[in-house]
Amino acid sequence: MAAFIAKQMVGNQLSAVKGAVGGDGGDDGDDKEKAEEEERERQEAIKEAEDRRKEKHRKMEEEREKMRQDIRDKYNIKKKEEIVEAAPQEEPNPLMRKKKTPEELAAEAEQEELDDFTTKLKKRLSDAFKTCPLRNLF
């Protein structure tokens, strides 16, 4: 433990001496400029690589579509129509569904209460009719 404390004290004093003697104040600006330039170059390289990848995939998809069309022509198969509007109507992810407004929620709750009420009423009426002594008349 004593060695750790001694190392910390000597290390801190050594760092203070290096900072005073070295005078590294001007290098920080150059380092920042270099870092910014390297970051810009890196971002440009990433963008170029992404563009090349997209172009490659676009060409491959064109080749595939040409091959599909050749097969369709060869076997007289009609191309299926793609329904673009049907896809957004489906809700594949329940977490991404449209949230209901408070008015919609209140209307649903009221409808459920009415449905529950009518169900109970029908059951009570049928039970009462079963026990009614006049049921043979109807």
Side-chain angles (χ1 to χ4, degrees):
M1 183 74 172
F4 173 74
I5 294 172
K7 185 176 180 182
Q8 288 295 319
M9 289 174 43
V10 173
N12 289 340
Q13 290 174 355
L14 186 59
S15 295
V17 172
K18 282 183 181 177
V21 174
D24 290 334
D27 291 340
D28 290 339
D30 293 338
D31 290 341
K32 288 181 182 178
E33 289 176 10
K34 283 183 180 179
E36 288 175 2
E37 182 64 29
E38 288 176 0
E39 181 63 23
R40 273 187 245 125
E41 289 175 2
R42 188 180 71 80
Q43 291 294 333
E44 289 175 10
I46 290 172
K47 187 173 192 251
E48 288 175 13
E50 183 69 16
D51 291 342
R52 284 192 305 265
R53 185 190 68 79
K54 285 182 180 179
E55 181 64 22
K56 177 183 171 186
H57 285 279
R58 187 188 62 77
K59 286 180 182 177
M60 285 189 338
E61 187 58 33
E62 285 177 1
E63 291 173 3
R64 288 179 185 150
E65 185 57 35
K66 183 180 180 295
M67 190 180 303
R68 289 183 198 118
Q69 190 59 45
D70 291 343
I71 293 170
R72 283 189 212 109
D73 292 341
K74 181 177 178 181
Y75 295 105
N76 295 325
I77 300 172
K78 292 184 180 179
K79 183 176 180 180
K80 292 182 181 177
E81 294 295 324
E82 294 181 16
I83 301 173
V84 179
E85 295 179 16
Q89 292 175 355
E90 297 176 14
E91 293 185 23
N93 187 354
L95 298 176
M96 300 301 290
R97 71 179 189 277
K98 180 182 175 264
K99 294 182 180 174
K100 296 180 181 177
T101 63
E103 293 82 19
E104 292 173 334
L105 292 172
E108 278 186 11
E110 185 177 332
Q111 185 62 39
E112 288 177 11
E113 288 176 11
L114 286 175
D115 290 343
D116 188 40
F117 175 74
T118 55
T119 304
K120 287 180 181 178
L121 182 63
K122 284 180 183 178
K123 183 174 180 175
R124 285 187 181 171
L125 286 175
S126 69
D127 290 343
F129 189 68
K130 287 178 183 175
T131 60
C132 178
L134 300 175
R135 81 179 166 151
N136 293 335
L137 296 175
F138 297 103

